[in-house]
Amino acid sequence: MTTEADVSGGTTEPAAPSCHGAAPAPAGAATAPAHGPHGYSAQKDQHLKRLRRIEGQIRGLQRMVEEDVYCIDILTQVSASTKALQSFALQLLEQHLRHCVADAALKGGAEIDAKVAEATAAIARLLRT
């Protein structure tokens, strides 16, 4: 099981299940619908491409440090990499709201309250960065 620490290096809370509240399917179980259990699933390939591009920016930063590039030039690249990650996060958040929170709103009850609280906490984490 992945944790947020695996991704962010900070907390140890378990990764959230799909937006529909179901735990990930065990190995060998029936596959998920073609659109996937998450709001981002339909654009998964584009997201992975974007993340690989950001990963390349980070590797570029490592090379810049190894090559003793001027500090301000490195900081400019750090800023660009940070903006790229923030942009990715906002797109992912929008998809979560459109898919997962909207689905919970249709179901109503405690599920919508939980999804709104979850989205609010995610926004708070993004604002702290």
Side-chain angles (χ1 to χ4, degrees), residues 109-123:
E111 190 167 344
I112 183 61
D113 294 335
K115 288 297 173 190
V116 168
E118 181 182 60
T120 301
I123 293 167

Side-chain angles (χ1 to χ4, degrees), residues 46-112:
Q46 292 124 318
H47 289 319
L48 289 171
K49 182 179 178 181
R50 190 172 192 182
L51 287 170
R52 283 190 286 274
R53 197 168 33 244
I54 294 169
E55 180 183 22
Q57 286 181 292
I58 303 304
R59 281 195 306 273
L61 282 166
Q62 291 171 330
R63 278 191 303 276
M64 291 174 83
V65 171
E66 288 170 355
E67 296 170 3
D68 293 320
V69 172
Y70 184 58
C71 305
I72 298 301
D73 295 338
I74 296 172
L75 289 170
T76 299
Q77 273 306 114
V78 167
S79 178
S81 299
T82 300
K83 292 293 183 193
L85 274 173
Q86 289 172 339
S87 176
F88 174 74
L90 285 174
Q91 185 178 26
L92 203 59
L93 178 62
E94 179 183 2
Q95 290 170 342
H96 177 70
L97 293 171
R98 289 184 184 279
H99 182 266
C100 305
V101 176
D103 183 65
L106 290 174
K107 293 176 182 172
E111 190 167 344
I112 183 61

